[in-house]
Amino acid sequence: MSELPVKHPVQASDAAEGEPRPGRIRKPIGWSMITIGALVAVSATLVWRRDGIGGVLDILTHDVTLFGGILPRVLAGCLLGAFIAEILPHEKVSRSLGPNSGLKGLLIGAAFGAILPGGPFTAYPVASALLTVGADFGATIAMVVSWTLIGYGRAVAWELPIMGTDFTLWRIVISLPLPVLAGALGRFVYVRMYPKDVE
């Protein structure tokens, strides 16, 4: 009777280390969803008492139309994030933007956020994809804050024509250190709140 091959413990641990770490499983219903649902119920009750069922139906009809217009962009952004998570090399991302990337990781995250085009349907799926492939909270926070404060796309398309060159340039210069500071603080807090995830 032939015996089945037994893996040596060292080989098994080496194989496990070579595999990418699975991303966090997000629960479909959390505290944020429960809070929003409660606020919706309270708001709908107030509208119903003031305007009757007709007022509630008008709001629902408008929101369904709005949701139909937004849904394709949400789907495209989520697909973009999923494809980026598959395309990006996990080891390089972890080395450049991971917990041990230091100041360089924060600067890379901030620079990437500053040049990232598109709106929230692009930025947040990309940020989620970076977390999935090995970026840490600090670098990802730096990216999101930089996209929010510096984003060249909005600055060129909206701020320069409306606010003028002087205002835009000074606003960007003053905002430059903030993404790195936010990322460093996020990394500091995360390491102390979730030490097991960092190991």
Side-chain angles (χ1 to χ4, degrees), residues 6-193:
V6 179
K7 285 187 177 180
H8 193 274
V10 176
Q11 293 175 346
S13 63
D14 291 343
E17 289 178 3
E19 295 175 359
R21 294 176 64 183
R24 283 188 173 182
I25 299 174
R26 293 186 176 90
K27 297 179 181 179
I29 298 178
W31 285 109
S32 60
M33 183 68 179
I34 293 172
T35 303
I36 292 172
L39 291 174
V40 168
V42 171
S43 302
T45 302
L46 293 174
V47 171
W48 172 72
R49 290 184 62 184
R50 189 189 68 181
D51 301 331
I53 192 66
V56 176
L57 290 177
D58 285 344
I59 292 174
L60 287 176
T61 303
H62 177 268
D63 282 358
V64 167
T65 304
L66 179 65
F67 179 73
I70 291 176
L71 185 60
R73 285 178 280 179
V74 174
L75 179 61
C78 291
L79 286 173
L80 175 65
F83 285 131
I84 287 177
E86 289 298 321
I87 292 171
L88 290 176
H90 293 210
E91 293 180 3
K92 289 184 179 179
V93 172
S94 181
R95 189 164 55 249
S96 300
L97 298 172
N100 299 320
S101 60
L103 178 61
K104 184 183 79 169
L106 299 177
L107 291 173
I108 292 174
F112 180 63
I115 64 173
L116 181 66
F121 301 114
T122 301
Y124 294 117
V126 169
S128 177
L130 288 177
L131 284 174
T132 302
V133 297
D136 77 325
F137 264 46
T140 309
I141 288 173
M143 190 216 89
V144 173
V145 172
S146 179
W147 170 79
T148 304
L149 293 179
I150 301 173
Y152 87 93
R154 292 188 306 278
V156 171
W158 298 100
E159 199 170 354
L160 273 172
I162 295 173
M163 304 301 296
T165 305
D166 289 343
F167 177 89
T168 303
L169 289 178
W170 277 111
R171 197 270 306 163
I172 290 176
V173 169
I174 292 170
S175 300
L176 283 176
L178 298 181
V180 177
L181 293 175
L185 180 60
R187 183 178 282 171
F188 176 83
V189 171
Y190 183 79
V191 167
R192 279 147 188 81
M193 289 186 66

